[in-house]
Amino acid sequence: MLAKGGGEIDFVWAAYIEEPGPAEAIRYGELPEPEPGAGEAVVRTEAVAVNWVDTFVRSGKYRTELPRPFVIGRDVVGVVERAAGGLREGERVWASTLGYAGRQGPTAERVAVSADRLHRLPEGVEPVGAVAVLHGATTALIGLERVGLSAGERVFVHGASGAVGSAVVQVAVERGAHVVATARSDEALARLRRWGAAEVVDTREQWSSPVGVDVHWDATGAIPLAEAVTSMASRGRVVVTARREEDPVPAFDLYLRDVSIVGFTLSHASHEEQARAAREVNRLLAEGRLEASVAHVLPMADAARAHRLLESGQARGKVVLVP
Ligand SMILES: NC(=O)c1ccc[n+]([C@@H]2O[C@H](COP(=O)([O-])OP(=O)(O)OC[C@H]3O[C@@H](n4cnc5c(N)ncnc54)[C@H](OP(=O)(O)O)[C@@H]3O)[C@@H](O)[C@H]2O)c1
């Protein structure tokens, strides 16, 4: 095929949708090679994470401007093939803000990305492990910044085996908090102890929300707000990042205990918040302090299967796609 200027068009393999829909709407095929605009680098993709938000964008549950065809995904680690900004060819970089608000996602062999959205990956950090922590870690860092976590505070994390919960535990422990974390497998409980959680709760047994909590982060969205608010210490903060249904707020307990409920969506974080989080992600990755449990590494051609694994609840850990 000929390009507008008369030259041959090159293609990249990509996982994309024409319209929002079920996982079956994902196609794997050739799209024209991404043309970098001003200030954009071309990155050769090494690993792409599959996050819940990717399934929401794909299905249309999260309404956001999408180019058509739309290449799915949000987080990527790759190597700069065509330099831009201060980046050099051959450098390993990551981005975690692709695939929404008019930007293409990264589930393709190559992707054009504005250089100011790219961060150098620290030396020696491998791509699959790194891409698996990006979404959870930026969520944890910005969320804990919003609630002003201080050393010595008691932080309760429910669903601590998941991407967000795992990152909240690791970041809060690193900040000197006393972390109480839940999980429902021996492997996950052992991981939480290894990461330094002061108390771990096995939710396969009888359990209840701990009391006297300063920061309450239920990554599953299952604990009723009434239970969360009444378990808080005075001036406690309940972080809400996931919720399945309407949930009445216990206003009386809220003001009598000086408790705040902080709703937070990563996609709305400011550029400055994202930049601060990116610096922290890199510091923690370089120090070996951020780990995710990776359940499946699949070829990009299996992107539809990856979405089905997540949506069916079968992926007990992160799903990562590689070219
Ligand atoms: N607002 C935001 O900015 C933001 C950002 C990121 C994510 N989120 C949302 O946050 C939620 C978590 O995301 P994630 O990436 O961490 O998901 P994830 O990796 O799938 O983790 C989900 C966690 O919830 C646990 N869980 C699920 N159902 C449970 C149940 N019935 N009882 C006990 N534990 C249960 C899972 O335990 P197992 O490991 O044992 O299955 C796992 O620990 C999703 O709803 C996502 O959309 C919001």
Side-chain angles (χ1 to χ4, degrees):
M1 190 187 279
L2 288 181
K4 274 190 222 143
E8 286 283 313
I9 285 188
D10 288 324
F11 292 91
V12 289
W13 285 91
Y16 64 90
I17 55 171
E18 299 283 0
E19 292 295 330
E24 290 66 38
I26 300 173
R27 304 270 166 270
Y28 185 68
E30 288 181 310
L31 291 180
E33 179 86 36
E35 274 292 322
E40 286 187 336
V42 175
V43 174
R44 175 172 53 78
T45 305
E46 293 187 297
V48 172
V50 181
N51 303 309
W52 278 104
V53 71
D54 304 324
T55 69
F56 303 152
V57 172
R58 184 220 72 224
S59 69
K61 184 173 166 189
Y62 170 29
R63 287 173 194 274
T64 182
E65 187 196 335
L66 301 181
R68 308 288 165 97
F70 170 69
V71 179
I72 60 173
R74 176 173 292 218
D75 304 334
V76 62
V77 171
V79 174
V80 175
E81 258 193 18
R82 205 152 129 189
L87 296 165
R88 289 187 306 275
E89 240 177 76
E91 283 188 306
R92 184 168 273 153
V93 290
W94 62 268
S96 62
T97 56
L98 309 184
Y100 62 104
R103 294 184 289 281
Q104 287 287 9
T107 315
E109 287 173 293
R110 278 182 291 285
V111 56
V113 184
S114 177
D116 64 2
R117 294 188 179 277
L118 290 169
H119 313 281
R120 288 183 182 89
L121 193 71
E123 283 294 316
V125 178
E126 58 87 28
V128 168
V131 87
V133 299
L134 295 177
H135 195 65
T138 46
T139 304
L141 285 158
I142 297 175
L144 291 176
E145 180 184 277
R146 291 263 182 109
V147 298
L149 175 69
S150 304
E153 285 197 307
R154 193 170 158 83
V155 177
F156 174 56
V157 188
H158 182 46
S161 56
V164 171
S166 294
V168 174
V169 168
Q170 291 169 92
V171 171
V173 166
E174 207 262 341
R175 300 280 156 91
H178 177 105
V179 175
V180 184
T182 74
R184 52 180 181 175
S185 76
D186 294 343
E187 201 190 340
L189 291 161
R191 228 173 19 242
L192 294 170
R193 284 192 198 95
R194 182 161 56 77
W195 289 337
E199 299 171 51
V200 297
V201 179
D202 184 345
T203 58
R204 291 169 300 188
E205 294 166 5
Q206 192 71 24
W207 72 286
S208 56
S209 292
V211 292
V213 167
D214 299 299
V215 174
H216 180 290
W217 195 321
D218 170 16
T220 74
I223 299 178
L225 284 173
E227 183 179 326
V229 168
T230 50
S231 69
M232 302 304 288
S234 174
R235 297 181 187 250
R237 292 86 79 202
V238 179
V239 185
V240 179
T241 47
R243 197 118 303 244
R244 292 198 205 103
E245 53 208 26
E246 291 304 310
D247 190 1
V249 173
F252 199 54
D253 280 303
L254 195 73
Y255 80 82
L256 282 183
R257 291 165 183 266
D258 279 5
V259 169
S260 308
I261 299 177
V262 180
F264 160 62
T265 296
L266 182 60
S267 304
H268 301 162
S270 69
H271 190 73
E272 292 69 31
E273 285 177 310
Q274 293 277 6
R276 277 197 298 279
R279 283 195 293 275
E280 279 296 277
V281 165
N282 270 354
R283 181 180 68 76
L284 294 167
L285 280 174
E287 292 173 5
R289 285 176 171 275
L290 271 182
E291 248 182 70
S293 116
V294 177
H296 305 270
V297 180
L298 301 175
M300 282 182 189
D302 285 348
R305 184 179 155 221
H307 278 222
R308 278 193 294 268
L309 273 172
L310 197 61
E311 291 178 304
S312 64
Q314 286 173 293
R316 282 299 198 47
K318 204 75 195 165
V319 184
V320 173
L321 296 171
V322 293

